[in-house]
């Protein structure tokens, strides 16, 4: 298996051309058909002036055209920049400023950005099977990308309130797939269900890629809905699926969960944060294993995967091509059972963040990515994630930076101060919570949750909106005036 991203798809098309690779609603692609669609999309990108090294922003909607575009852009040596489907104009402007794309591929409802605007129909016209006759178009004149070339720039929340673009190379994505295949029980008879936006790193370098590498079938859902999820499992005899903890919690509490419609489902891969213990036990009782994982955008998806029978909270031991350590504040490895910061090193870890001013290192001089997450090893060498040194909120598997939300709420009428933090939630893991100090002369009474969310409409993607608002007389601050974010949780009980 070569390190060029998408090589596993080309190999599968040559070895098992007639096997079903992808299902979406009433459409089906064999491996040969999916490979043909990628080649034709490469030709259309070439026709529209996309060249190796160019950045192409793409709306990361859950649709087959997005998967085909992912393979086509990276195959020709260009760089895909996938974004959450709900991204706002302001957020897109930051991405375009940093990456300077030559094109934006999206539907008509997506905000305008810089670069040539391409619709899905421009790259994937109706009747595509006959668009080039019986022959594929002539391939572009440029050769395949190198393993060290950047394939994807995946944006993640940063500590400054400005999203950061993680530059994932073909090698990074290749080794992420090697790690996943070493830990997860995939076979050619597996059918995997994906029902998350395709901008998620667990899709870019995760479950569907592992499935295709083993010549299995991927069923793509247009959205997550518990009823639709159960329907697709039953209809396509799905054996495994990816779900962030919020999705798993909703499924476990759904009336159809205990019926026979999920009988083919063997296990669920939980990403974003570990599945809650109660949810995990409900799945176990149902005969469905839950595989917790630990990974970040900077590590190109998972670097640990638990066994389904592992203790609750465990995310498993490090994958074969990963070095992972837990260190104390001095950088010394912490003993088993003692929490510390999680550091990761290995070929799946990105080297730099992409910025308009030039690359910014992701790792230190020794190659360690200092995650900012707190974890500990048990006596068996299995990692548990126990918190975060950084303030990023993980809600429903999506990262939210408090500073970004605070900046967007700073001009809410009548607000003197605002702080944002995560509050524990049994479904979402955490919910975004806004703490507001209201001025004495605030017009129309104190702002409600609806006021806050209305203020953010068009400014931030919906998953970043607060689900709770707490009015407080003052924010907790230290002697120097610095916000003491860890004390915000105590205000919830006042």
């Amino acid at each position: 298996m070569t390190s060029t991203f998408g090589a596993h798809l080309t190999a599968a098309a040559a070895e098992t051309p007639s096997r079903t690779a992808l299902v979406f609603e009433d459409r089906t692609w064999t491996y040969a058909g999916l490979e043909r669609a990628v080649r034709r999309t490469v030709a259309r990108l070439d026709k529209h002036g996309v060249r190796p090294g160019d950045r192409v922003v793409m709306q990361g909607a859950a649709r087959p055209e997005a998967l085909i575009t992912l393979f086509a852009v990276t195959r020709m040596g260009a760089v895909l920049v996938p974004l959450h489907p709900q991204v706002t104009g302001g957020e897109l402007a930051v991405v375009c400023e940093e990456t300077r794309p030559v094109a934006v591929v999206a539907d008509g409802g997506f905000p305008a950005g810089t670069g040539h605007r391409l619709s899905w129909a421009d790259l994937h016209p109706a009747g595509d099977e006959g668009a080039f006759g019986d022959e594929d178009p002539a391939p572009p004149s440029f050769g395949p990308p190198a393993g060290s070339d950047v394939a994807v720039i995946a944006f993640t929340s940063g500590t400054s309130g400005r999203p950061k673009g993680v530059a994932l190379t073909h090698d990074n994505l290749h080794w992420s797939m090697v790690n996943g295949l070493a830990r997860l029980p995939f076979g050619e008879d597996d059918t995997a269900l994906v029902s998350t936006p395709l901008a998620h790193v667990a899709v870019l370098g995760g479950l569907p890629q592992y499935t295709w590498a083993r010549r299995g079938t991927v069923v793509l859902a247009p959205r997550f809905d518990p009823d639709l999820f159960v329907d697709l499992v039953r209809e396509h005899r799905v054996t495994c699926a990816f779900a962030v903890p919020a999705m798993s919690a909703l499924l476990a509490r759904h009336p159809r969960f205990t019926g026979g419609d999920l009988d083919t489902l063997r296990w669920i891969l939980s990403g974003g944060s570990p599945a809650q213990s109660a949810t995990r036990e409900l799945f176990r009782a149902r005969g469905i294993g839950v595989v917790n994982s630990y990974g970040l955008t900077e590590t190109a998806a998972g670097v640990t995967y638990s066994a389904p029978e592992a203790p609750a909270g465990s995310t498993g031991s490090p994958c074969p091509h990963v070095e992972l350590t837990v260190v104390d504040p001095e950088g010394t490895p912490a003993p088993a059972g003692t929490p510390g910061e999680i550091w990761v090193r290995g070929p799946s870890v990105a080297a730099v963040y992409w910025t308009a001013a030039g690359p910014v290192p992701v790792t230190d001089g020794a190659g360690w990515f200092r995650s900012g997450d707190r974890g500990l090893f048990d006596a068996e060498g299995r990692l548990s994630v126990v918190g975060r040194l950084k303030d990023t909120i993980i809600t429903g598997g999506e990262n939210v930076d408090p500073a970004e939300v605070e900046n967007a709420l700073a001009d809410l009428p009548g607000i003197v101060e605002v702080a944002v933090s995560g509050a524990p939630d049994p479904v979402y893991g955490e919910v975004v919570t806004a703490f507001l100090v209201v001025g004495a002369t605030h017009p129309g009474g104190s702002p409600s949750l609806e006021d806050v969310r209305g203020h953010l409409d068009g400014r931030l993607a919906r998953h970043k909106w607060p689900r709770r608002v707490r009015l407080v007389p003052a924010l907790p601050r230290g002697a120097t005036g610095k916000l003491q974010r860890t004390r915000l949780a105590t205000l919830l009980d006042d």
Side-chain angles (χ1 to χ4, degrees):
M1 185 165 54
T2 66
S3 64
T4 302
F5 182 72
H8 57 299
L9 182 65
T10 302
E15 296 169 11
T16 56
S18 61
R19 287 186 68 89
T20 299
L22 178 64
V23 177
F24 179 77
E25 296 182 333
D26 60 350
R27 292 185 285 170
T28 298
W29 287 258
T30 64
Y31 276 97
L34 190 57
E35 172 69 12
R36 186 180 306 115
V38 172
R39 291 177 181 173
R40 294 179 175 187
T41 305
V42 168
R44 294 191 180 100
L45 288 165
D46 183 41
K47 179 181 177 181
H48 284 288
V50 178
R51 297 292 178 264
D54 287 344
R55 274 77 64 202
V56 176
V57 168
M58 184 189 75
Q59 179 185 19
R63 55 190 303 161
E65 295 88 350
L67 282 169
I68 294 167
T69 302
L70 162 66
F71 284 116
V73 169
T74 54
R75 180 174 298 188
M76 66 190 304
V79 181
L80 189 79
V81 186
L83 297 180
H84 196 285
Q86 295 178 350
V87 71
T88 68
E91 293 165 322
L92 178 59
V94 171
V95 171
C96 289
E97 179 183 337
E98 296 288 17
T99 63
R100 300 170 185 169
V102 299
V104 175
V105 182
D107 62 27
F110 199 68
T114 59
H116 183 39
R117 182 72 176 228
L118 296 174
S119 69
W120 295 114
D122 290 328
L123 299 182
H124 312 279
D128 182 57
E129 289 300 313
F132 293 98
D134 294 331
E135 300 295 330
D136 284 342
S141 58
F142 37 82
S148 58
D149 289 341
V150 176
V152 172
I153 300 174
F155 274 81
T156 185
S157 293
T159 56
S160 65
R162 186 178 178 89
K164 298 186 294 183
V166 182
L168 296 171
T169 66
H170 289 263
D171 282 340
N172 293 149
L173 294 167
H174 165 77
W175 286 107
S176 175
M177 185 163 61
V178 170
N179 283 326
L181 291 174
R183 284 284 189 263
L184 297 171
F186 282 101
E188 65 178 18
D189 294 326
D190 275 309
T191 297
L193 176 58
V194 175
S195 50
T196 54
L198 300 186
H200 202 295
V201 72
V203 176
L204 298 172
L207 189 74
Q209 311 305 336
Y210 308 154
T211 305
W212 286 322
R214 290 287 188 254
R215 315 307 188 241
T217 299
V218 172
V219 176
L220 180 63
R223 64 192 181 281
F224 173 72
D225 172 82
D227 267 321
L228 178 60
F229 187 102
V230 176
D231 286 343
L232 292 174
V233 170
R234 183 194 66 238
E235 179 181 354
H236 299 288
R237 301 188 61 79
V238 167
T239 59
C240 56
F242 173 78
V244 299
M247 294 163 57
S248 299
L250 291 171
L251 282 169
R253 291 158 178 80
H254 192 271
R256 297 172 65 190
F257 181 74
T258 57
D261 292 335
L262 296 177
D263 284 352
T264 62
L265 189 61
R266 294 188 292 113
W267 54 275
I268 280 186
L269 174 60
S270 180
S273 59
Q276 298 290 323
S277 297
T279 298
R280 185 181 173 98
E281 289 308 311
L282 288 172
F283 271 86
R284 278 183 172 177
R286 178 66 180 74
I288 301 170
V290 176
V291 177
N292 282 330
S293 65
Y294 175 69
L296 307 97
T297 304
E298 287 87 347
T299 65
V303 290
T304 72
Y305 296 96
S306 73
E309 67 276 6
S314 169
T315 64
S317 57
C319 290
H321 303 282
V322 169
E323 292 180 77
L324 194 151
T325 186
V326 172
V327 302
D328 63 20
E330 286 72 44
T332 302
T338 302
E341 185 179 8
I342 301 170
W343 290 8
V344 186
R345 183 166 64 181
S348 69
V349 179
V352 299
Y353 296 107
W354 185 291
T355 75
V360 174
V362 168
T363 58
D364 63 18
W368 289 106
F369 169 56
R370 305 183 181 190
S371 71
D373 294 326
R374 295 178 69 246
L376 57 85
F377 283 117
D378 65 15
E380 304 298 323
R382 297 171 298 204
L383 178 71
S384 292
V385 181
V386 297
R388 286 178 298 281
L389 299 177
K390 55 189 178 183
D391 300 318
T392 302
I393 303 164
I394 301 179
T395 179
E398 298 285 351
N399 286 3
V400 178
D401 174 27
E404 186 179 15
V405 184
E406 288 163 358
N407 291 341
L409 286 175
D411 60 345
L412 181 66
I415 297 302
V416 177
E417 289 186 290
V418 58
V420 172
S421 183
D425 184 83
V427 172
Y428 292 94
E430 292 180 294
V431 291
V432 180
T433 304
F435 299 84
L436 306 177
V437 179
V438 182
T441 60
H442 183 269
S446 300
S448 65
L449 176 62
E450 290 71 26
D451 295 330
V452 169
R453 293 167 71 87
H455 185 76
L456 295 177
D457 194 2
R459 296 184 177 208
L460 295 178
R462 287 177 179 269
H463 68 275
K464 301 177 183 179
W465 295 4
R467 291 179 179 268
R468 297 180 65 180
V469 167
R470 181 72 169 168
L471 303 180
V472 296
L475 297 178
R477 297 188 181 275
T480 62
K482 184 177 180 180
L483 176 67
Q484 295 182 325
R485 203 176 291 275
T486 57
R487 291 176 53 198
L488 289 172
T490 64
L491 300 178
L492 291 171
D493 300 323
D494 289 347

